[in-house]
Amino acid sequence: GSRPLYLGIDFGTSGARYALIDKQGAIHAEGKRTYPAVGQSTNWAGSWREALFHLLGDIPSVHRPSISSISIDGTSATTLIIDRNNGELLAGPFLYNESFPDALPMVKSIAPANHTVCSGSSTLCKLVSWWNKHYSNGGDDSAILMHQSDWLLWLLHGKYGVSDYNNTLKVGYDPEIGSYPSWLMSQPYSHMLPSSIRAPGVPIGPIKEDVRSQYGFSNDCVICTGTTDSIAAFLAARTTDPGKAVTSLGSTLAIKLVSRVRVEDARFGVYSHRMDDQWLVGGASNSGGVVLRQLFSDDQLVTLSRDIDPSSPSPHDYYPLPKSGERFPVSDPDMEPRLEPRPDSDAEYLHGILESMARIEARGYKLLKELGATPVEEVFTSGGGAQNEKWTAIRERVLGVPVRKAEQTEAAYGAALLALRGATTGK
Ligand code: ADP
């Protein structure tokens, strides 16, 4: 037979992608499905299910019997309430960015100050808001909470109550002690939480027989725990040593650093995800490519960048923001964008903006270090800005560490690495 393959599927905000890799990480097939048009009455769960099974059908049938394992990542804090008696959707999905401020006072009254659950869009706020509306007088015990990736994986393996320590962070799971804290377990809805929390990329069980036979997967194909989409995108870069980091230069500027030490600071929106025995510390600025896009087309960015000399520091000191308000690396909800004075030369202007964003990035890594994280040693880059070699050179000078483009940046690739891990370490 042919060599074993590992399947990762990413459920992002606009569509789903798959990547099929071998043990060496080489991609054998990949594909994408967008969700049907978004509207008021969008049946999100139905669209995700459809995308999942369409993607399975898109995988060339010659590869399917070789697939040893499957893992799926989903958007963080995307939540469904399911009836465990029949698997039916009782409520939701509540999307990653949907906020439930009605639940905040109750959540803040039970959680430690500044805990990650103390944000209106956290999974716990979604759960508490739903609980207050439906079961405040006590209800039946069959309703359970699933994250988006738990639910999609469940469609493939059929076991209730399984999740991973990345997805459950925003419902209050403590990955350091490996359990839910007592302030959460004492709540009347605690029985709704996933009960079996594993590391990402750990085997859950065999693929369901009906799915297996319909698509022609092998009898040995196992379904493995997943993670969140941003962790999967980080994993794609394969940089798991302390001090290694990934900066994402997309619409926003986000940094993620592998650290020996867990750091959290709600003022800056900084928190840590567990990654085996290490921590993945993250922070996101409101600055980023969205500001570039307001000023220049992508073609202009390419042509103007040609005239930039990255070895000479720009004298311009801007703070590019799409609107007022910044959180990381400066916590100031009233901060105003600073994009002036604008020089006559567009190339000079762009140079100043790219250099100013590099300073924000450097300040971000400096702040993580000040909060106690392992100092950054090397930066990989993902997102649209990663293509800009002049910017990379500017950043290398400003950050003072090697900077290069990440070879793989798709979350689906990171999910495939989790499947690989589940198949090769779990047996
Ligand atoms: P997202 O998925 O977060 O929307 P992408 O990763 O697709 O973003 O990156 C898009 C961003 O990259 C845009 O905001 C754009 O301004 C920026 N971008 C595109 N090309 C370049 C370039 N050559 N130099 C710098 N930035 C660029």
Side-chain angles (χ1 to χ4, degrees):
S2 46
R3 65 175 125 174
L5 297 172
Y6 311 93
L7 174 63
I9 311 179
D10 161 58
F11 280 77
T13 51
S14 63
R17 293 171 185 264
Y18 84 86
L20 190 59
I21 66 169
D22 63 24
K23 203 169 197 147
Q24 280 71 42
I27 297 172
H28 289 242
E30 54 191 334
K32 182 182 175 163
R33 288 271 178 173
T34 45
Y35 310 135
V38 180
Q40 274 301 319
S41 56
T42 300
N43 171 0
W44 282 108
S47 332
W48 297 336
R49 186 203 309 252
E50 201 176 295
L52 171 64
F53 289 109
H54 277 153
L55 285 179
L56 295 184
D58 291 345
I59 298 167
S61 47
V62 49
H63 288 321
R64 291 186 218 155
S66 312
I67 297 176
S68 297
S69 54
I70 303 175
S71 182
I72 299 179
D73 70 83
T75 48
S76 155
T78 296
T79 309
L80 304 92
I81 307 292
I82 300 292
D83 185 338
R84 68 176 301 152
N85 289 330
N86 53 24
E88 275 174 26
L89 182 68
L90 293 174
F94 307 117
L95 299 188
Y96 65 104
N97 57 355
E98 268 184 88
S99 189
F100 294 83
D102 56 291
L104 258 184
M106 190 179 268
V107 166
K108 283 186 171 167
S109 75
I110 56 170
N114 294 330
H115 194 283
T116 49
V117 297
C118 299
S119 140
S121 59
S122 75
T123 317
L124 187 57
C125 279
K126 286 164 179 147
L127 173 59
V128 167
S129 173
W130 177 83
W131 176 265
N132 284 342
K133 281 177 207 125
H134 295 86
Y135 283 103
S136 46
N137 303 319
D140 71 66
D141 286 341
S142 63
I144 55 169
L145 177 146
M146 289 192 190
H147 303 92
Q148 183 185 26
S149 92
D150 303 341
W151 182 73
L152 290 158
L153 289 164
W154 169 78
L155 292 173
L156 302 182
H157 63 68
K159 289 185 185 158
Y160 287 108
V162 186
S163 190
D164 63 86
Y165 55 55
N166 295 151
N167 270 299
T168 48
L169 193 77
K170 287 184 180 168
V171 80
Y173 185 80
D174 184 340
E176 195 156 4
I177 59 172
S179 66
Y180 294 104
S182 53
W183 57 261
L184 185 53
M185 287 314 286
S186 57
Q187 300 305 316
Y189 43 79
S190 64
H191 64 275
M192 292 180 64
L193 300 169
S195 52
S196 174
I197 314 301
R198 325 257 180 95
V202 167
I204 300 168
I207 190 167
K208 277 162 68 176
E209 177 53 29
D210 55 336
V211 182
R212 193 199 67 72
S213 59
Q214 184 182 346
Y215 292 93
F217 291 112
S218 99
N219 282 315
D220 300 328
C221 179
V222 293
I223 310 302
C224 304
T225 49
T227 185
T228 66
D229 58 345
S230 59
I231 303 260
F234 179 90
L235 294 174
R238 304 191 94 159
T239 52
T240 46
D241 294 335
K244 308 271 172 175
V246 173
T247 297
S248 163
L249 297 175
S251 303
T252 61
L253 188 168
I255 68 178
K256 285 202 164 54
L257 168 71
V258 183
S259 170
R260 290 189 192 85
V261 182
R262 181 186 194 182
V263 298
E264 320 253 309
D265 195 319
R267 285 175 302 162
F268 300 106
V270 169
Y271 61 93
S272 297
H273 271 289
R274 185 170 164 189
M275 261 185 27
D276 298 324
D277 298 332
Q278 283 154 179
W279 299 92
L280 190 55
V281 189
S285 166
N286 292 332
S287 185
V290 69
V291 182
L292 293 174
R293 198 154 264 175
Q294 285 169 355
L295 296 164
F296 303 110
S297 70
D298 287 3
D299 286 344
Q300 279 178 307
L301 289 175
V302 172
T303 42
L304 291 175
S305 294
R306 284 188 199 130
D307 296 330
I308 293 176
D309 173 9
S311 63
S312 69
S314 166
H316 300 290
D317 182 24
Y318 304 129
Y319 205 107
L321 291 171
K323 53 181 170 43
S324 62
E326 175 66 312
R327 186 142 104 146
F328 175 89
V330 181
S331 181
D332 180 0
D334 303 318
M335 183 182 221
E336 290 298 329
R338 192 169 70 239
L339 282 158
E340 281 171 9
R342 178 169 181 156
D344 294 336
S345 153
D346 280 348
E348 199 186 312
Y349 192 38
L350 178 62
H351 186 174
I353 295 172
L354 296 180
E355 180 122 5
S356 299
M357 287 206 253
R359 285 189 218 109
I360 294 172
E361 182 184 0
R363 196 162 168 184
Y365 284 114
K366 185 161 168 270
L367 174 64
L368 296 187
K369 183 181 161 193
E370 284 163 7
L371 294 174
T374 303
V376 63
E377 280 168 18
E378 183 175 18
V379 174
F380 294 81
T381 317
S382 66
Q387 309 157 40
N388 191 324
E389 286 165 19
K390 295 290 176 72
W391 198 1
T392 303
I394 292 171
R395 293 167 54 225
E396 201 150 44
R397 170 168 51 75
V398 174
L399 291 169
V401 297
V403 178
R404 65 173 115 142
K405 190 171 184 282
E407 220 168 283
Q408 297 291 342
T409 57
E410 288 292 345
Y413 188 86
L417 290 172
L418 288 179
L420 165 61
R421 168 186 165 142
T424 47
T425 61
K427 281 181 186 164

